Amino acid sequence: MGTDEPDRREILVVGAYFVDLIFHGLPEPVRPGREVFADGFTMMPGGAYTLAMAAHRLGHDVVWATDFGTDPFSTHVLHAARAEGLDESAFRHQPTPLRSLTVALSTPEDRAMVSFQDPSYPQPLPSLLRQYRPRVLMVPQLRYDADTVHALKLARHLGITVVMDCQDVAVDVDTPGVRAALASTDIFAPNAEEALRLTRAPTMDDAISRLNELVSTVVIKLGSAGATATYDGERYGVAAPQISALDTTGAGDCFNVGFVHGLLAGWPPAKCLAAAVACGTAATTGPGSSTAPGTADLERWLARTTISSRAATAREQRQPTAQPPATH
């Protein structure tokens, strides 16, 4: 951080914690009327905790704004956050239970999830942005309500780079507020299925093209195939290392952190994408986000990734040229 901005933080993460109850090593997908036994079970902190924890492990100055209640799930994640040494300045402690949990049924290829969350009232995002003035704001899912759109516009005014995931949100680009939210986002990082559903596009190239009309940098997670991204008129691809995955829960969040890590380090876009794939892949080698890498581990995973790039297609060349996200 520059000397003229002594109080500016690197990363602000906003979003609820979750506790992930992970059944991993399932021999087949779970179907109604059938009982399947898992090879293992783990209870792990998740949700926005994963973003904050993974960024902290990579040496970043990260603030996580979230609420905890009096329930045992809140206590479990709070203890984990303290064990990781996370900054508690933006934690709020509510006098009632505030349960957020997900049951993840994980096969080596993917997982199914069932979630529950008590009603909560997040801290006002504009106040957090003004207080911490982060270089990067990380939003763990597509948020498109009027208050969030206003806050994202404020972030752009304050010179804050907005990185937003999609998650399994049942909307498309014509849902009121979605276009405005994406237009105020610098980096949008859905997975392939989410990108297709959100844009209602017939192909991935079409989905990326439609998203690039709204967002300058689009990063698409392709699971075990790696990832692709458009950045400054170029399309990049990174193949994931071939591994035996244990559990994919939390891998997408670790992927996002890897991209932001490269962005803050001033790496070229292809290496940012490689860092994203490396972090996401590393996270699949253990339950939940337990194997999110530190800096030394990241270097080892980076050595196993393969980067490619190509010139923009004719369709992409018709889009406005994307500007690299500001890192300030």
Side-chain angles (χ1 to χ4, degrees), residues 162-194:
V162 176
V163 180
M164 185 182 287
D165 205 325
C166 186
Q167 302 293 344
D168 191 16
V169 180
V171 298
D172 59 41
V173 290
D174 291 327
T175 301
V178 169
R179 288 180 182 273
L182 293 177
S184 297
T185 297
D186 298 290
I187 301 167
F188 185 53
N191 64 32
E193 181 180 348
E194 291 162 350

Side-chain angles (χ1 to χ4, degrees), residues 7-326:
D7 298 322
R8 190 167 200 187
R9 309 298 292 267
E10 265 195 311
I11 301 172
L12 171 64
V13 174
V14 294
Y17 84 84
F18 271 81
V19 168
D20 294 328
L21 308 175
I22 305 166
F23 294 82
H24 53 83
L26 293 170
E28 60 183 277
V30 177
R31 298 188 299 273
R34 295 288 304 277
E35 182 179 18
V36 178
F37 278 84
D39 288 340
F41 170 79
T42 309
M43 184 170 75
M44 295 290 300
Y49 163 87
T50 301
L51 294 172
M53 175 276 296
H56 182 73
R57 284 190 183 181
L58 289 174
H60 292 289
D61 172 33
V62 55
V63 177
W64 175 28
T66 195
D67 288 6
F68 296 103
T70 58
D71 56 280
F73 301 110
S74 291
T75 300
H76 177 73
V77 178
L78 182 59
H79 284 172
R82 287 172 172 167
E84 289 283 345
L86 298 186
D87 185 333
E88 298 186 40
S89 64
F91 291 177
R92 293 193 310 189
H93 300 273
Q94 304 296 346
T96 58
L98 192 60
R99 301 164 296 175
S100 298
L101 62 151
T102 294
V103 175
L105 307 173
S106 184
T107 67
E109 294 77 24
D110 209 340
R111 80 276 191 210
M113 297 180 289
V114 179
S115 298
F116 171 83
Q117 188 173 29
D118 282 317
S120 62
Y121 303 94
Q123 301 176 53
L125 186 49
S127 298
L128 292 167
L129 295 174
R130 291 190 178 97
Q131 178 178 356
Y132 293 107
R133 295 294 180 101
R135 293 175 65 189
V136 175
L137 168 66
M138 299 193 73
V139 184
Q141 69 182 94
L142 176 56
R143 290 172 52 178
Y144 54 94
D145 59 279
D147 288 343
T148 297
V149 171
H150 169 75
L152 296 181
K153 291 178 180 178
L154 173 63
R156 177 157 291 177
H157 175 73
L158 295 174
I160 298 167
T161 298
V162 176
V163 180
M164 185 182 287
D165 205 325
C166 186
Q167 302 293 344
D168 191 16
V169 180
V171 298
D172 59 41
V173 290
D174 291 327
T175 301
V178 169
R179 288 180 182 273
L182 293 177
S184 297
T185 297
D186 298 290
I187 301 167
F188 185 53
N191 64 32
E193 181 180 348
E194 291 162 350
L196 291 169
R197 184 173 63 243
L198 187 65
T199 60
R200 302 192 308 279
T203 68
M204 185 54 58
D205 280 345
D206 288 322
I208 292 171
S209 178
R210 293 178 188 181
L211 288 172
N212 271 146
E213 294 173 1
L214 299 167
V215 187
S216 61
T217 300
V218 176
V219 183
I220 307 291
K221 307 177 185 84
L222 301 175
S224 61
T228 185
T230 55
Y231 183 102
D232 198 22
E234 282 282 312
R235 177 87 167 264
Y236 298 88
V238 172
Q242 297 303 302
I243 63 163
S244 179
L246 175 70
D247 174 38
T248 59
T249 307
D253 291 322
C254 292
F255 175 104
N256 294 344
V257 167
F259 195 93
V260 169
H261 175 72
L263 184 74
L264 290 169
W267 291 350
K271 190 175 180 181
C272 290
L273 188 62
V277 170
C279 286
T281 303
T284 69
T285 62
S289 56
S290 59
T291 51
T295 51
D297 289 333
L298 175 58
E299 288 301 318
R300 288 192 287 270
W301 281 103
L302 274 170
R304 299 176 62 182
T305 62
T306 303
I307 301 172
S308 64
S309 67
R310 62 172 174 79
T313 65
R315 179 188 296 272
E316 289 160 348
Q317 288 170 349
R318 290 195 293 268
Q319 306 302 323
T321 302
Q323 297 300 316

